[in-house]
Amino acid sequence: MARIADQKTDFPQWYLDVIEQAGLAEHAEVRGCIIFKPYGYALWEAIQRDLDRRIKELGVDNVYFPLFIPESILQREKDHIEGFAPECAVVTHGGGKELSEKLYVRPTSETIIYTTFAKWVQSHRDLPLKINQWANVVRWEMRTRPFLRTLEFLWQEGHTCHISKEDADTMVNAALQMYADFDREMLAIPVLTGRKPEHEKFAGALYTLSTEALARDGKAIQAGTSHNLGQGFSEAYGVSFLDAEGKQQRPWMTSWGLSTRIIGTLIVVHGDEKGLRIPPRIAPIQAVIVPIYKTDAEREAVLTAARTLCASLGGIRLKIDDRAEKSPGFKFNEWEVKGVPLRIELGPKDLEKRQATFVRRDTAEKIAVPLASCTGAFVQSLLTSIQETLLQQAIAHLEAHTHIADDMTQCSKLLEGEGGFVWMPWDGTLETATQIKDATKATIRLLGDRANAKGKTDPQSGAPATEYALYAKAY
Amino acid sequence: MARIADQKTDFPQWYLDVIEQAGLAEHAEVRGCIIFKPYGYALWEAIQRDLDRRIKELGVDNVYFPLFIPESILQREKDHIEGFAPECAVVTHGGGKELSEKLYVRPTSETIIYTTFAKWVQSHRDLPLKINQWANVVRWEMRTRPFLRTLEFLWQEGHTCHISKEDADTMVNAALQMYADFDREMLAIPVLTGRKPEHEKFAGALYTLSTEALARDGKAIQAGTSHNLGQGFSEAYGVSFLDAEGKQQRPWMTSWGLSTRIIGTLIVVHGDEKGLRIPPRIAPIQAVIVPIYKTDAEREAVLTAARTLCASLGGIRLKIDDRAEKSPGFKFNEWEVKGVPLRIELGPKDLEKRQATFVRRDTAEKIAVPLASCTGAFVQSLLTSIQETLLQQAIAHLEAHTHIADDMTQCSKLLEGEGGFVWMPWDGTLETATQIKDATKATIRLLGDRANAKGKTDPQSGAPATEYALYAKAY
């Protein structure tokens, strides 16, 4: 097996090596697109399964809208088309003929969905209207990286329609909280949440909320966003309703999404020098049994014990790696790269002692366990402990790399070192944000509470601060 | 609620009315595409859930390949490109620029997947290679009908690669059997299975197997197909492997798919004059409780009883329709159109008698059931009975409309009447099949056993028959 680049000195190459060697994905023949291999897609399926349940618990129904958006429909919301049209793939021919109207491959589906909402929404009794779709979308990115930024990606996009701004606010906060809970509970990823600055909001939105995680290389990475779209799309797409008093009103829209980028987030938050570390709750394989033997008789005895053990561990996503042509060392390495939370070694010496040797992927700790104690409950408790350790390590990393700065020297020093997040007073202008970006490569990820910035000065411009901003270099 | 066209006299309009009034789907702003509404998408989710399990049981892994296929890749297999290129949507622009190479929106993914198989397959130890993807595909159809034929549709496509023709034969038969079992066990749809004639096979395949169901209007409809692709794609895409003796060999490919068309099949096989009839095992809602009341006090009592009943029926996909603004009659009608298998009425008179009134959607039978007997096991037994009745009705319809004809007069008469399937000796020529199609509008759906045709004559051409062919007008 090829080696993985050193995580500390060449994080970008480490990232690509891990994806390749863990068998998550590979580059496709189409520029900027990836092929999700079985192990990578199994991760996405596990993510979908859990997130879909959470979405449905918010009272949201799944639907499916077309891939193609006619140009005339995409153009109706001015800010939106300005933001997205330059990065669209465009179908000009179909059935061997040139089309009379170009079709855009959806970069996101607000425009086509809200055209339909105009038909579905008539009365306040039709609201709230809450739908979601799992779909592929295409954005013509020039610089791509597997999972993190690809031409085509998979995601869910929720779209809702409400009577009032308050209801829409509640919805975007609920969606954001759902992402934060999902990230933390399933992926063991702690996130910071908050509002994006005006110049970073979704094209056409009133405001955008985001969850931001911190990669091991000190860079910020988005892990789910939620937009209050205000009434702009209602206006542009002619959506209105009769309120309880019989007055015509414009509803308030929200949209929110989480994409296969989250798999990239999972890699850069938990991966270590040996490869992936997948939190047990989301792991396609939670434990792998590696039989160790030299003779045929040993093989027979060890495999029998492995199968017996396997049968007693119902409910655990388990695999016996019985490949005859690979050595135990090769297998150890491969399952470590793949980030399987638990390895269970079974060899002649283990059988002699009536034990199995457990190796935790999170801490590399080896534990000899009497076979009689290898119950489902025992393995489950180990998995729970691994899940918790990964979360605590990520929390410790996030906390150790989140600082407050009051001057530019301090800010630059923090960002240049191990990276991470830096809170700093901001004067609220794009000009200042741009100057800081040019100087440090850091952008504003989120905005903090306005109250804290009272009396503070923006260290870049010297102007009074309107709020604290969270700076970081980002993916 | 609008009325549904008469199924007996205007089946095509009945079909459209049912889709609209059951809330399954509606026409999109893009020609030939539909919007899957929540109820329609929930059906697809139920189909996916069960079929995905069956696919995995065949040892097949899920993956995801790109939406776009570069022109140079699509063109490598001559028959395939001839069959599919004319019905493709083509992306010519991306990121605001004209592309140097056109990208085809996948009409099916053999070409892009087998380009990758060339990398994945090196040794006989890499085989069999079995993958599947759930994806959207686009075919530029001119005449479209919701679910049955749409520009974009959703499907699963399985792709496998094998050492020998025998292994590939086994795989296509296993996939076909999986579809037939799924159709029968989950959708209560009996199907005929067999091989397609040469002129109806998949573009580029060695042979195609199909499952054919019979709609209530006597037309045939495909419900899953499975192709043995032979070695043509291996050749075209340069896939080869070293066999156990160290010799370079071409593997054998198969592909097989089932699409959202199956929802159309479900409608036309089970629907009756009142609307849909959804088999319980696939039904998003298996039973609906409709409370009946006049006064507020009655409402309170009835809803309390409904909630108690609901709580005792864990495991049943159940809904209480407590909308205050709709009458019981409206609700009965709506849930009938939606094809919910069981309606449970609860009114003051029912409460007085400590009973609930069950109404079966399959037979319209009304059953008064003591509340004490309304257990999960009881409701489950009713649902099992409904599932079985729908299957038996469909089997009876299929058997009553499958005939053998030995001359053209008899054949035409059968096809012109109530339609259905007609077995007839065939001389094996496209010419004869075309003449029969021109005369009767019926095409060959499947081929029968060759042995049965020995000594028979094709009634159209008078030439010796090579096999029996199954004729039907088809969707």
Side-chain angles (χ1 to χ4, degrees), chain A residues 26 28-30 35-36 38 41 45 56 61-68 73 86 88-95 99 106 116 119-120 136 140 152, chain B residues 26 28-30 35-36 38 41 45 56 62-68 73 86 88-95 99 106 115-116 119-120 136 140 152:
Chain A
E26 66 182 46
E29 301 287 324
V30 195
I35 293 158
F36 287 75
Y41 198 78
E45 285 181 307
K56 283 172 176 153
D61 288 323
N62 282 347
V63 297
Y64 185 76
F65 278 73
L67 171 69
F68 296 142
I73 285 181
C88 280
V90 188
V91 173
T92 55
H93 290 72
L99 304 180
R106 63 179 162 223
T116 298
K119 291 183 225 163
W120 291 359
N136 54 342
W140 209 261
E152 180 187 3
Chain B
E26 66 183 47
E29 300 288 323
V30 195
I35 293 159
F36 287 75
Y41 198 77
E45 286 182 306
K56 284 173 175 152
N62 281 346
V63 297
Y64 186 76
F65 277 73
L67 171 69
F68 296 143
I73 286 180
C88 279
V90 187
V91 174
T92 55
H93 291 70
L99 305 180
R106 63 178 162 224
T115 302
T116 298
K119 291 183 226 164
W120 291 359
N136 55 342
W140 209 263
E152 180 188 2

Coordinates of all heavy atoms in Angstrom, one line a residue, chain A residues 26 28-30 35-36 38 41 45 56 61-68 73 86 88-95 99 106 116 119-120 136 140 152, chain B residues 26 28-30 35-36 38 41 45 56 62-68 73 86 88-95 99 106 115-116 119-120 136 140 152:
Chain A
E26 N -12.8 8.8 -6.4 CA -11.7 9.1 -7.4 C -12.1 10.1 -8.4 O -13.3 10.3 -8.6 CB -11.1 7.8 -8.0 CG -12.1 7.1 -8.9 CD -11.5 5.8 -9.5 OE1 -11.0 5.0 -8.7 OE2 -11.7 5.6 -10.7
A28 N -13.2 11.7 -11.8 CA -13.9 11.1 -12.9 C -13.3 11.6 -14.2 O -12.4 12.5 -14.2 CB -15.4 11.5 -12.8
E29 N -13.9 11.1 -15.4 CA -13.4 11.6 -16.7 C -13.9 13.0 -17.0 O -13.4 13.6 -17.9 CB -13.9 10.6 -17.7 CG -13.5 9.2 -17.6 CD -12.0 8.9 -17.9 OE1 -11.5 9.6 -18.8 OE2 -11.4 8.1 -17.2
V30 N -14.9 13.4 -16.2 CA -15.4 14.8 -16.4 C -14.6 15.7 -15.5 O -14.6 15.4 -14.3 CB -16.9 14.9 -16.1 CG1 -17.5 16.2 -16.7 CG2 -17.6 13.7 -16.7
I35 N -16.1 10.3 -8.7 CA -16.8 9.1 -8.6 C -16.9 8.7 -7.1 O -15.8 8.5 -6.5 CB -16.2 7.9 -9.4 CG1 -16.2 8.3 -10.9 CG2 -16.8 6.6 -9.1 CD1 -15.2 7.6 -11.7
F36 N -18.1 8.5 -6.6 CA -18.2 8.1 -5.2 C -18.1 6.5 -5.2 O -18.9 5.9 -5.8 CB -19.6 8.4 -4.7 CG -19.8 9.9 -4.3 CD1 -20.0 10.8 -5.3 CD2 -19.8 10.3 -3.0 CE1 -20.1 12.1 -5.0 CE2 -20.0 11.6 -2.7 CZ -20.2 12.6 -3.7
P38 N -17.8 2.7 -3.4 CA -18.7 2.1 -2.4 C -18.5 2.6 -1.0 O -19.5 3.0 -0.3 CB -18.4 0.6 -2.5 CG -18.0 0.4 -4.0 CD -17.2 1.6 -4.3
Y41 N -19.7 6.3 -0.8 CA -21.1 6.4 -0.9 C -21.9 5.8 0.3 O -22.9 6.4 0.7 CB -21.6 5.7 -2.2 CG -23.0 6.2 -2.6 CD1 -23.2 7.5 -3.2 CD2 -24.2 5.5 -2.3 CE1 -24.4 8.0 -3.5 CE2 -25.4 6.0 -2.6 CZ -25.6 7.2 -3.2 OH -26.8 7.7 -3.4
E45 N -24.8 7.6 2.4 CA -26.0 6.9 2.7 C -26.3 7.0 4.2 O -27.5 7.2 4.7 CB -26.0 5.5 2.3 CG -26.2 5.3 0.8 CD -26.2 3.8 0.4 OE1 -25.2 3.1 0.8 OE2 -27.1 3.4 -0.3
K56 N -37.6 15.2 8.5 CA -39.0 14.8 8.6 C -39.5 15.2 9.9 O -40.7 15.6 10.0 CB -39.1 13.3 8.3 CG -39.1 13.0 6.8 CD -39.0 11.6 6.4 CE -39.1 11.4 4.9 NZ -38.4 10.2 4.4
D61 N -41.8 17.6 4.1 CA -42.0 16.5 3.2 C -41.0 16.4 2.1 O -40.6 17.5 1.5 CB -43.4 16.7 2.5 CG -44.5 16.4 3.5 OD1 -44.4 15.5 4.4 OD2 -45.5 17.1 3.4
N62 N -40.5 15.3 1.7 CA -39.7 15.1 0.6 C -40.4 15.2 -0.8 O -41.5 14.7 -0.9 CB -38.9 13.8 0.6 CG -37.7 13.9 1.6 OD1 -37.3 15.0 2.0 ND2 -37.1 12.8 2.0
V63 N -39.8 15.8 -1.7 CA -40.4 16.0 -3.1 C -39.2 15.8 -4.1 O -38.1 15.7 -3.7 CB -41.0 17.4 -3.3 CG1 -42.2 17.6 -2.3 CG2 -40.0 18.5 -3.1
Y64 N -39.5 15.9 -5.4 CA -38.4 16.0 -6.3 C -38.9 16.9 -7.5 O -39.9 16.7 -8.1 CB -38.1 14.6 -6.9 CG -36.9 14.7 -7.8 CD1 -35.6 14.9 -7.3 CD2 -37.0 14.7 -9.2 CE1 -34.5 15.0 -8.1 CE2 -35.9 14.8 -10.0 CZ -34.7 14.9 -9.5 OH -33.6 15.1 -10.3
F65 N -38.0 17.9 -7.7 CA -38.2 18.9 -8.8 C -37.2 18.6 -10.0 O -36.2 18.1 -9.7 CB -38.1 20.3 -8.3 CG -39.3 20.9 -7.7 CD1 -39.7 20.4 -6.4 CD2 -40.1 21.8 -8.3 CE1 -40.9 20.9 -5.8 CE2 -41.3 22.3 -7.7 CZ -41.7 21.8 -6.4
P66 N -37.5 19.1 -11.2 CA -36.7 18.8 -12.3 C -35.2 19.4 -12.2 O -35.0 20.4 -11.6 CB -37.4 19.5 -13.5 CG -38.8 19.5 -13.1 CD -38.8 19.8 -11.6
L67 N -34.4 18.7 -12.9 CA -32.9 19.1 -13.0 C -32.7 20.4 -13.8 O -31.8 21.1 -13.5 CB -32.2 17.9 -13.7 CG -30.8 18.1 -14.1 CD1 -29.9 18.1 -12.9 CD2 -30.4 16.9 -15.0
F68 N -33.6 20.6 -14.8 CA -33.4 21.7 -15.7 C -34.3 22.9 -15.3 O -35.4 22.7 -15.0 CB -33.7 21.3 -17.1 CG -32.8 20.2 -17.7 CD1 -33.4 19.2 -18.5 CD2 -31.5 20.2 -17.4 CE1 -32.5 18.2 -19.1 CE2 -30.6 19.2 -18.0 CZ -31.2 18.2 -18.8
I73 N -37.1 31.4 -16.3 CA -37.4 31.2 -14.8 C -36.2 31.6 -13.9 O -36.4 32.3 -12.9 CB -37.9 29.8 -14.6 CG1 -39.3 29.6 -15.1 CG2 -37.9 29.5 -13.1 CD1 -39.9 28.2 -14.9
P86 N -23.3 32.8 -13.8 CA -21.9 32.6 -14.3 C -21.4 31.2 -14.0 O -20.4 30.8 -14.6 CB -21.1 33.6 -13.6 CG -22.1 34.6 -13.1 CD -23.3 33.9 -12.8
C88 N -23.1 28.3 -14.1 CA -24.1 27.2 -14.5 C -23.6 26.5 -15.7 O -22.9 27.0 -16.6 CB -25.4 27.8 -14.8 SG -26.4 28.2 -13.4
A89 N -24.0 25.2 -15.8 CA -23.9 24.4 -17.0 C -25.2 24.6 -17.8 O -26.2 24.6 -17.2 CB -23.6 23.0 -16.7
V90 N -25.0 24.8 -19.1 CA -26.2 25.2 -19.9 C -26.5 24.1 -21.0 O -25.6 23.8 -21.8 CB -26.0 26.6 -20.6 CG1 -27.3 27.0 -21.2 CG2 -25.6 27.6 -19.5
V91 N -27.7 23.6 -21.1 CA -28.1 22.7 -22.1 C -28.7 23.5 -23.3 O -29.6 24.3 -23.0 CB -29.2 21.7 -21.6 CG1 -29.7 20.9 -22.8 CG2 -28.6 20.8 -20.5
T92 N -28.1 23.4 -24.4 CA -28.6 24.2 -25.6 C -29.2 23.3 -26.6 O -29.9 23.8 -27.5 CB -27.4 25.0 -26.3 OG1 -26.4 24.0 -26.6 CG2 -26.8 26.0 -25.3
H93 N -28.9 22.0 -26.6 CA -29.5 21.1 -27.6 C -30.1 19.9 -26.9 O -29.7 19.4 -25.9 CB -28.3 20.5 -28.5 CG -27.8 21.6 -29.4 ND1 -27.0 22.6 -28.9 CD2 -27.9 21.7 -30.7 CE1 -26.7 23.4 -30.0 NE2 -27.2 22.9 -31.1
G94 N -31.2 19.4 -27.5 CA -31.9 18.2 -27.0 C -32.6 17.5 -28.1 O -33.1 18.2 -29.0
G95 N -32.5 16.2 -28.1 CA -33.2 15.4 -29.1 C -32.6 15.8 -30.5 O -33.3 15.7 -31.5
L99 N -32.3 24.1 -28.9 CA -33.6 24.4 -28.1 C -33.9 25.9 -28.3 O -33.0 26.7 -28.5 CB -33.3 24.2 -26.6 CG -32.9 22.8 -26.2 CD1 -32.7 22.7 -24.7 CD2 -33.9 21.7 -26.7
R106 N -29.6 22.8 -12.7 CA -29.8 23.5 -11.4 C -28.5 23.7 -10.6 O -27.8 22.7 -10.4 CB -30.9 22.8 -10.6 CG -30.4 21.4 -10.2 CD -31.5 20.7 -9.3 NE -31.2 19.2 -9.3 CZ -32.0 18.3 -9.5 NH1 -33.3 18.5 -9.5 NH2 -31.6 17.0 -9.5
T116 N -43.4 27.0 -8.6 CA -44.5 26.1 -8.3 C -45.2 26.5 -7.0 O -46.4 26.3 -6.9 CB -43.9 24.7 -8.2 OG1 -43.4 24.3 -9.5 CG2 -45.0 23.7 -7.8
K119 N -48.3 28.4 -7.4 CA -49.5 27.6 -7.6 C -50.1 27.0 -6.3 O -51.3 26.9 -6.1 CB -49.3 26.5 -8.6 CG -49.1 27.0 -10.0 CD -48.9 25.8 -11.0 CE -47.7 26.0 -11.9 NZ -47.3 24.8 -12.6
W120 N -49.2 26.5 -5.5 CA -49.5 25.7 -4.3 C -50.0 26.6 -3.2 O -50.8 26.1 -2.3 CB -48.4 24.9 -3.8 CG -48.0 23.7 -4.7 CD1 -48.6 23.4 -5.9 CD2 -46.9 22.8 -4.6 NE1 -48.0 22.3 -6.5 CE2 -46.9 21.9 -5.7 CE3 -45.9 22.6 -3.6 CZ2 -46.0 20.9 -5.8 CZ3 -45.0 21.6 -3.7 CH2 -45.1 20.7 -4.8
N136 N -28.9 16.1 -7.1 CA -27.6 16.5 -7.6 C -27.7 17.9 -8.1 O -28.7 18.3 -8.7 CB -27.1 15.5 -8.7 CG -28.0 15.3 -9.8 OD1 -29.2 15.6 -9.7 ND2 -27.6 14.8 -10.9
W140 N -20.2 25.4 -11.9 CA -19.1 25.4 -12.7 C -17.8 25.9 -12.0 O -17.3 27.0 -12.4 CB -19.3 26.1 -14.0 CG -18.5 25.5 -15.1 CD1 -17.3 26.0 -15.6 CD2 -18.8 24.3 -15.9 NE1 -16.8 25.1 -16.6 CE2 -17.7 24.1 -16.8 CE3 -19.8 23.4 -15.9 CZ2 -17.7 23.0 -17.6 CZ3 -19.8 22.4 -16.7 CH2 -18.8 22.2 -17.6
E152 N -20.2 18.8 -9.9 CA -21.4 18.2 -9.5 C -21.3 17.8 -8.1 O -20.3 17.2 -7.7 CB -21.8 17.0 -10.4 CG -23.1 16.4 -10.0 CD -23.4 15.1 -10.8 OE1 -22.5 14.6 -11.5 OE2 -24.5 14.5 -10.6
Chain B
E26 N -47.2 16.7 -10.7 CA -47.8 17.6 -11.6 C -46.8 18.0 -12.6 O -45.6 17.7 -12.5 CB -48.4 18.8 -10.9 CG -47.3 19.7 -10.2 CD -48.0 20.9 -9.4 OE1 -48.9 20.6 -8.7 OE2 -47.5 22.0 -9.6
A28 N -44.2 20.0 -14.7 CA -43.3 21.1 -14.4 C -43.2 22.1 -15.5 O -43.8 22.0 -16.5 CB -41.9 20.4 -14.2
E29 N -42.5 23.2 -15.2 CA -42.3 24.3 -16.2 C -41.4 23.8 -17.4 O -41.4 24.5 -18.4 CB -41.7 25.5 -15.5 CG -42.5 26.1 -14.4 CD -43.8 26.8 -14.8 OE1 -43.8 27.4 -15.9 OE2 -44.8 26.6 -14.1
V30 N -40.7 22.7 -17.2 CA -39.9 22.2 -18.2 C -40.6 21.2 -19.0 O -41.2 20.2 -18.4 CB -38.6 21.6 -17.6 CG1 -37.6 21.4 -18.7 CG2 -38.0 22.4 -16.5
I35 N -43.1 17.2 -11.5 CA -42.7 17.4 -10.1 C -43.3 16.3 -9.3 O -44.5 16.1 -9.3 CB -43.3 18.8 -9.6 CG1 -42.6 19.9 -10.4 CG2 -43.1 19.0 -8.1 CD1 -43.4 21.2 -10.4
F36 N -42.5 15.6 -8.5 CA -42.9 14.6 -7.6 C -43.4 15.3 -6.4 O -42.6 15.9 -5.6 CB -41.8 13.6 -7.2 CG -41.4 12.7 -8.3 CD1 -40.7 13.1 -9.4 CD2 -41.8 11.3 -8.2 CE1 -40.3 12.2 -10.4 CE2 -41.4 10.4 -9.2 CZ -40.7 10.9 -10.3
P38 N -45.3 15.4 -2.5 CA -44.9 14.6 -1.3 C -45.5 13.2 -1.4 O -44.8 12.2 -1.1 CB -45.5 15.4 -0.1 CG -45.4 16.8 -0.6 CD -45.7 16.8 -2.1
Y41 N -43.6 11.2 -4.1 CA -42.2 10.9 -3.7 C -42.2 9.9 -2.6 O -41.2 9.1 -2.5 CB -41.5 12.2 -3.4 CG -40.0 12.0 -3.4 CD1 -39.3 11.9 -4.7 CD2 -39.2 11.7 -2.3 CE1 -38.0 11.6 -4.8 CE2 -37.9 11.5 -2.4 CZ -37.3 11.4 -3.6 OH -35.9 11.1 -3.7
E45 N -39.9 6.6 -2.3 CA -39.0 6.3 -1.2 C -39.3 4.9 -0.7 O -38.4 4.2 -0.3 CB -39.2 7.3 -0.1 CG -38.6 8.7 -0.3 CD -38.8 9.6 0.8 OE1 -40.0 9.8 1.2 OE2 -37.8 10.2 1.3
K56 N -28.7 -5.0 -2.4 CA -27.6 -5.2 -1.5 C -27.5 -6.7 -1.2 O -26.4 -7.3 -1.0 CB -27.7 -4.4 -0.2 CG -27.3 -2.9 -0.5 CD -27.5 -2.0 0.6 CE -27.0 -0.6 0.3 NZ -27.7 0.5 1.0
N62 N -23.6 0.2 -3.6 CA -24.0 1.5 -4.2 C -22.8 2.4 -4.4 O -21.9 2.5 -3.6 CB -25.1 2.1 -3.3 CG -26.4 1.5 -3.5 OD1 -26.7 0.8 -4.4 ND2 -27.4 1.9 -2.6
V63 N -22.9 3.1 -5.5 CA -21.9 4.1 -5.8 C -22.6 5.3 -6.5 O -23.8 5.3 -6.6 CB -20.9 3.5 -6.9 CG1 -20.1 2.3 -6.3 CG2 -21.6 3.2 -8.1
Y64 N -21.8 6.3 -6.9 CA -22.4 7.4 -7.7 C -21.4 7.9 -8.7 O -20.3 8.4 -8.3 CB -22.9 8.6 -6.7 CG -23.6 9.6 -7.6 CD1 -24.9 9.4 -8.0 CD2 -23.0 10.8 -7.9 CE1 -25.6 10.3 -8.8 CE2 -23.6 11.7 -8.7 CZ -24.9 11.5 -9.1 OH -25.6 12.4 -9.9
F65 N -21.8 7.9 -9.9 CA -21.0 8.4 -11.0 C -21.6 9.7 -11.6 O -22.7 10.0 -11.4 CB -21.0 7.4 -12.2 CG -20.0 6.3 -12.0 CD1 -20.2 5.3 -11.0 CD2 -18.8 6.2 -12.7 CE1 -19.3 4.3 -10.8 CE2 -17.9 5.2 -12.5 CZ -18.1 4.2 -11.6
P66 N -20.7 10.5 -12.3 CA -21.2 11.8 -12.7 C -22.4 11.8 -13.7 O -22.6 10.9 -14.4 CB -19.9 12.4 -13.4 CG -18.8 11.7 -12.8 CD -19.3 10.3 -12.5
L67 N -23.1 12.9 -13.6 CA -24.3 13.2 -14.5 C -23.8 13.4 -15.9 O -24.6 13.0 -16.8 CB -24.9 14.5 -13.9 CG -26.0 15.1 -14.7 CD1 -27.3 14.3 -14.7 CD2 -26.3 16.5 -14.2
F68 N -22.7 14.0 -16.1 CA -22.2 14.4 -17.5 C -21.3 13.3 -18.1 O -20.4 12.8 -17.4 CB -21.5 15.7 -17.5 CG -22.3 16.9 -17.1 CD1 -21.8 17.9 -16.3 CD2 -23.7 17.0 -17.4 CE1 -22.6 19.0 -15.9 CE2 -24.5 18.1 -17.1 CZ -23.9 19.1 -16.3
I73 N -16.4 9.8 -24.8 CA -16.6 8.6 -24.1 C -17.9 7.9 -24.5 O -18.0 6.7 -24.8 CB -16.7 8.8 -22.6 CG1 -15.2 9.1 -22.1 CG2 -17.3 7.7 -21.8 CD1 -15.1 9.4 -20.6
P86 N -29.4 10.3 -30.2 CA -30.5 11.2 -30.7 C -31.5 11.7 -29.6 O -32.2 12.6 -29.8 CB -31.3 10.3 -31.7 CG -30.3 9.2 -32.0 CD -29.5 9.0 -30.8
C88 N -30.5 12.6 -26.4 CA -29.8 13.1 -25.3 C -29.9 14.7 -25.2 O -30.2 15.3 -26.2 CB -28.3 12.9 -25.4 SG -27.8 11.2 -24.9
A89 N -29.8 15.2 -24.0 CA -29.7 16.6 -23.7 C -28.2 16.9 -23.7 O -27.4 16.1 -23.1 CB -30.3 17.0 -22.4
V90 N -27.8 18.0 -24.3 CA -26.4 18.3 -24.5 C -26.0 19.6 -23.9 O -26.6 20.6 -24.2 CB -26.0 18.3 -26.0 CG1 -24.5 18.4 -26.1 CG2 -26.5 17.0 -26.7
V91 N -25.0 19.6 -23.0 CA -24.4 20.8 -22.4 C -23.3 21.3 -23.3 O -22.3 20.5 -23.5 CB -23.9 20.5 -21.0 CG1 -23.2 21.7 -20.4 CG2 -25.0 20.1 -20.0
T92 N -23.4 22.5 -23.8 CA -22.4 23.0 -24.7 C -21.7 24.2 -24.0 O -20.6 24.6 -24.5 CB -23.0 23.6 -26.0 OG1 -24.1 24.5 -25.6 CG2 -23.7 22.5 -26.8
H93 N -22.3 24.8 -22.9 CA -21.7 25.9 -22.2 C -21.6 25.7 -20.8 O -22.5 25.1 -20.2 CB -22.5 27.2 -22.5 CG -22.4 27.7 -23.9 ND1 -23.0 27.0 -25.0 CD2 -21.8 28.7 -24.5 CE1 -22.8 27.7 -26.1 NE2 -22.0 28.7 -25.8
G94 N -20.5 26.1 -20.2 CA -20.3 26.0 -18.7 C -19.5 27.2 -18.2 O -18.5 27.5 -18.9
G95 N -19.9 27.7 -17.1 CA -19.1 28.8 -16.5 C -19.0 30.0 -17.5 O -18.0 30.7 -17.5
L99 N -17.8 25.1 -24.3 CA -16.9 24.0 -23.9 C -16.2 23.5 -25.1 O -16.7 23.5 -26.2 CB -17.7 22.9 -23.3 CG -18.6 23.2 -22.1 CD1 -19.3 22.0 -21.6 CD2 -17.8 23.8 -21.0
R106 N -26.4 12.2 -18.8 CA -26.5 10.7 -19.0 C -28.0 10.3 -19.3 O -28.9 10.6 -18.6 CB -26.1 10.0 -17.7 CG -26.9 10.3 -16.5 CD -26.5 9.6 -15.2 NE -27.1 10.4 -14.1 CZ -26.5 10.7 -12.9 NH1 -25.3 10.3 -12.7 NH2 -27.2 11.4 -12.0
T115 N -15.8 2.9 -18.5 CA -14.5 3.6 -18.6 C -13.8 3.5 -17.3 O -12.5 3.3 -17.3 CB -14.8 5.1 -18.9 OG1 -15.5 5.2 -20.1 CG2 -13.4 5.8 -19.1
T116 N -14.5 3.5 -16.2 CA -13.8 3.4 -14.9 C -13.6 1.9 -14.6 O -12.5 1.6 -13.9 CB -14.7 4.0 -13.8 OG1 -14.8 5.4 -14.1 CG2 -14.2 3.9 -12.4
K119 N -10.2 0.7 -15.2 CA -9.2 0.9 -14.2 C -9.4 -0.1 -13.0 O -8.4 -0.5 -12.4 CB -9.3 2.4 -13.6 CG -8.9 3.4 -14.6 CD -9.0 4.8 -14.0 CE -9.7 5.8 -14.8 NZ -10.1 7.0 -14.1
W120 N -10.6 -0.3 -12.6 CA -10.8 -1.1 -11.4 C -10.6 -2.6 -11.6 O -10.3 -3.3 -10.7 CB -12.3 -0.9 -11.0 CG -12.6 0.4 -10.4 CD1 -11.7 1.5 -10.3 CD2 -13.8 0.9 -9.9 NE1 -12.3 2.6 -9.8 CE2 -13.6 2.3 -9.5 CE3 -15.1 0.4 -9.8 CZ2 -14.6 3.1 -9.0 CZ3 -16.1 1.2 -9.2 CH2 -15.9 2.5 -8.9
N136 N -30.7 10.3 -11.4 CA -31.6 10.9 -12.4 C -31.0 10.7 -13.8 O -29.8 10.8 -13.9 CB -32.0 12.3 -12.1 CG -30.7 13.2 -11.9 OD1 -29.6 12.7 -11.7 ND2 -30.8 14.5 -12.0
W140 N -34.6 12.5 -24.2 CA -35.4 13.6 -24.9 C -36.6 13.0 -25.6 O -36.7 13.0 -26.8 CB -34.5 14.4 -25.9 CG -35.0 15.7 -26.0 CD1 -35.8 16.2 -27.0 CD2 -34.7 16.8 -25.1 NE1 -36.0 17.6 -26.8 CE2 -35.4 17.9 -25.6 CE3 -34.0 17.0 -23.9 CZ2 -35.4 19.2 -25.0 CZ3 -33.9 18.2 -23.3 CH2 -34.6 19.3 -23.8
E152 N -36.9 13.6 -17.8 CA -36.1 13.2 -16.7 C -36.8 12.2 -15.9 O -38.0 12.4 -15.7 CB -35.7 14.5 -15.9 CG -34.8 14.1 -14.7 CD -34.6 15.3 -13.7 OE1 -35.2 16.3 -13.9 OE2 -33.8 15.1 -12.7

